[in-house]
Amino acid sequence: MHDPHRREQGRRSRPGVITSACSVKERSCVLPESSLAAGSRDKVAEALLNAFATRGYAHFTGVPCSLLKGFFRLLEEPDCPVTYIPAPREDSALGVASGLAVAGAKPVVLMQNSGLGYSLNVLTSFNLIYDVHLPIVVSWRGHDGTDAVEHDVIGRELTRLLDVFGLPWTVLDNERPEDSVEAFLKQYDSGRSTAVLIVREGI
């Protein structure tokens, strides 16, 4: 039986962590199995935030999404150890994060995959041209074809779209969020490449 979510096997940087291949000609992957049963979404969100914070990422900006609501809830807590800057649109978040990066900060951008479409102009006309690279966390609405109909196309084509623009990506493994962040930031490579961490399951 054909599995629409299965791709040719790409690189495994660590057990259970799936990333796109480095080569532009072959950026494919096999998605991790569902892992929500292995731990609560709140614990995954906390582990994800801690993984970024311990690596010095202290500024987060973006637009809330239901798949990322646990992560945004942590960012909005008064005692959160990092700074959260809300943005009205995803492309605006890229602008805020770009300014922070140029100033020497280590920002992370959060967006829903539907917002990636109108963010591509900023990415291709500024970030990728002038090497202002950012780590971007993108939720994967519509990945299984059961979401709202407006997410069907972007859900089906998300990874291929990222491949077209040469954006390396990693799918968050909820069982190993720390390893996923490490693999993702390895692709980001200290600002040498704009990379995407895809959140397929709600956290």
Side-chain angles (χ1 to χ4, degrees), residues 60-180:
F60 291 75
T61 182
V63 181
C65 169
S66 61
L67 291 185
L68 300 171
K69 62 183 179 182
F71 196 80
F72 276 98
R73 188 182 304 116
L74 292 175
L75 292 176
E76 292 170 350
E77 290 182 355
D79 59 348
C80 183
V82 302
T83 299
Y84 168 48
I85 305 170
R89 285 175 41 132
E90 287 84 351
D91 49 359
S92 298
L94 287 174
V96 170
S98 296
L100 287 166
V102 170
K106 297 176 72 173
V108 177
V109 180
L110 306 164
M111 65 174 63
Q112 186 179 113
N113 56 355
S114 62
L116 183 65
Y118 50 77
S119 296
L120 288 174
N121 183 53
V122 177
L123 285 168
T124 58
S125 64
F126 177 73
N127 296 92
L128 302 183
I129 295 297
Y130 295 103
D131 293 329
V132 182
H133 295 294
L134 300 168
I136 305 174
V137 177
V138 176
S139 64
W140 197 350
R141 296 289 300 272
H143 67 86
D144 57 2
T146 62
D147 208 322
V149 65
E150 61 265 26
H151 300 294
D152 284 353
V153 175
I154 189 66
R156 183 176 65 244
E157 303 296 342
L158 176 61
T159 56
R160 279 188 259 187
L161 182 65
L162 296 174
D163 290 343
V164 165
F165 288 94
L167 302 175
W169 48 272
T170 300
V171 178
L172 176 67
D173 185 342
N174 282 25
E175 288 186 341
R176 302 177 179 88
E178 176 81 19
D179 288 348
S180 295

